[in-house]
Amino acid sequence: MYLISGTVMAKELLEIQPLELKFTFEVKKQSSCSIQLGNKSDQYVAFKVKTTSPKKYCVRPNVGIIKPRATFDFAVTMQAQRIAPPDLQCKDKFLIQSTVVAFGTTDEDITSDMFAKDNGKRVDEKKLRVVLISPPQSPILLPRNGEPFLETSLQKDVAPTGVENIHPSNNVADDVEGPETGKVAGELRPTKDVQGLEMGKDTDELRAAEDVSSRPAKEVTELKIKKDILELNLAKDFEELKSKLNLADSQLREAEHTIKKLTEESGFATREKDRLKHVLEVLQGRKNRARTVQVGFPLLYVCMVALISLVLGYLSHR
């Protein structure tokens, strides 16, 4: 893509391959594809990936720095979907932004402000659409009259992006001509010349199928062992938890007994304090009464002395 302004033409900073994100869609299964970014400039370029459905896709990494004339790959993973869209049509899109940065800039230095189109700053943007592909069909062995044959042979062609494109190839029987080769009810039969070869091939495929069928049994055994180990661990944890609960219960009972004992001792101390206070008040009253009596006695004595003095004075003057 070229930006034309008068006679000046500016190349894009990045070359993106491929221009579509192709995902092999299967219900409740993840699918991934890779995108390659090529820096066509002689400067360091930072990029950032955005999407219209951020909860549906996972991009690793979604930002990065590309050296001059270097390439950078990132992976996009589509999360498992519960239902398939009608006719595998998808309207999701991705946006790749790129801009020139200074030498020494790292991934941690990348911010959203770098990709803001302000002050005449150059920011390239490229939109990529999402394409969903049906999953490939596996070869199927169909027996007829006790003679197995390969109904369809599929050849797998892997594209550079990592997305598998499946194209059907010609049947083995189409390349073999003989008096006993023919079509019966739209089906192909192998000739006698290749029957032994196909029988051997079918036998190898059946053996491979038996090996595959033995894998689930092994996996079931491993799962059972893991389950038993998990149950033992759970039982052990349960016993430990039970012992801890019993210990906590005993400690709680001991604490309750201690609190009860301390409460009784506190009540006894309060009663002793009240009794001592009452005794102190009684003794204080008695002391006050004794002081009153002691104070009154000298006054009477003085009065009697005064009276005797008056009598003696009167008698002396007489």
Side-chain angles (χ1 to χ4, degrees):
M1 178 179 179
Y2 294 88
L3 300 176
I4 302 176
S5 177
T7 59
V8 180
M9 301 179 64
K11 294 183 179 180
E12 289 183 336
L13 295 175
L14 299 180
E15 180 181 2
I16 304 173
Q17 292 293 337
L19 297 178
E20 294 180 340
L21 283 82
K22 297 182 180 180
F23 297 96
T24 302
F25 185 87
E26 293 186 71
V27 179
K28 297 182 179 180
K29 288 187 179 181
Q30 291 185 349
S31 181
S32 301
C33 68
S34 62
I35 300 295
Q36 185 179 83
L37 305 178
N39 186 358
K40 300 192 295 184
S41 68
D42 296 327
Q43 297 175 306
Y44 283 78
V45 175
F47 75 91
K48 184 175 184 180
V49 183
K50 296 181 179 181
T51 179
T52 56
S53 302
K55 295 182 179 180
K56 187 176 178 181
Y57 300 94
C58 179
V59 182
R60 290 292 182 273
N62 63 336
V63 295
I65 302 293
I66 309 177
K67 297 180 180 180
R69 305 296 175 178
T71 59
F72 190 97
D73 294 342
F74 67 89
V76 182
T77 301
M78 182 177 66
Q79 304 297 331
Q81 305 296 313
R82 295 184 178 180
I83 56 176
D87 299 329
L88 293 182
Q89 297 297 319
C90 184
K91 298 182 180 180
D92 299 334
K93 288 181 173 58
F94 282 77
L95 177 66
I96 300 179
Q97 297 177 309
S98 58
T99 185
V100 176
V101 294
F103 172 77
T105 305
T106 62
D107 295 349
E108 291 75 11
D109 299 330
I110 298 177
T111 61
S112 300
D113 297 336
M114 290 185 176
F115 304 94
K117 297 180 180 179
D118 53 358
N119 300 327
K121 185 177 181 181
R122 177 181 177 180
V123 178
D124 287 358
E125 294 182 347
K126 184 67 175 180
K127 293 182 180 180
L128 307 180
R129 70 188 189 97
V130 176
V131 177
L132 302 182
I133 304 175
S134 300
Q137 301 295 328
S138 301
I140 303 175
L141 294 175
L142 298 177
R144 186 183 184 281
N145 297 331
E147 297 180 358
F149 63 91
L150 187 63
E151 182 187 57
T152 306
S153 177
L154 298 180
Q155 182 178 359
K156 187 177 293 185
D157 182 17
V158 181
T161 61
V163 180
E164 296 181 352
N165 299 323
I166 309 301
H167 303 285
S169 63
N170 295 330
N171 194 276
V172 177
D174 293 338
D175 298 331
V176 181
E177 295 181 358
E180 296 184 10
T181 304
K183 293 186 178 180
V184 179
E187 298 176 347
L188 296 176
R189 291 185 181 179
T191 62
K192 292 182 180 181
D193 296 334
V194 298
Q195 183 176 0
L197 178 60
E198 291 184 346
M199 288 294 290
K201 183 178 179 180
D202 294 341
T203 303
D204 294 337
E205 292 178 349
L206 290 175
R207 289 178 180 175
E210 289 177 359
D211 295 337
V212 173
S213 63
S214 63
R215 292 177 184 175
K218 184 178 180 181
E219 294 177 356
V220 170
T221 304
E222 292 177 353
L223 290 176
K224 187 176 181 181
I225 294 175
K226 292 180 180 180
K227 181 180 179 182
D228 294 338
I229 295 174
L230 181 60
E231 289 178 353
L232 289 176
N233 292 334
L234 289 176
K236 184 178 179 180
D237 294 341
F238 178 78
E239 291 297 331
E240 291 180 356
L241 181 60
K242 187 177 180 181
S243 61
K244 290 180 180 179
L245 289 176
N246 292 334
L247 179 61
D249 185 62
S250 62
Q251 292 177 351
L252 180 61
R253 291 181 181 178
E254 184 177 356
E256 290 178 353
H257 179 70
T258 304
I259 292 173
K260 185 177 180 181
K261 186 177 180 180
L262 291 175
T263 303
E264 292 177 354
E265 292 178 355
S266 176
F268 178 77
T270 302
R271 290 193 297 270
E272 283 294 320
K273 181 180 179 181
D274 294 338
R275 189 178 68 82
L276 292 175
K277 185 177 180 181
H278 178 68
V279 171
L280 182 61
E281 289 176 353
V282 171
L283 293 176
Q284 189 70 26
R286 290 180 180 179
K287 184 178 181 180
N288 291 335
R289 287 196 298 272
R291 184 177 297 175
T292 301
V293 172
Q294 185 177 3
V295 171
F297 178 73
L299 180 61
L300 180 60
Y301 179 77
V302 171
C303 292
M304 290 181 65
V305 171
L307 181 59
I308 293 173
S309 299
L310 289 175
V311 172
L312 291 176
Y314 175 75
L315 292 176
S316 62
H317 284 289
R318 189 177 176 185

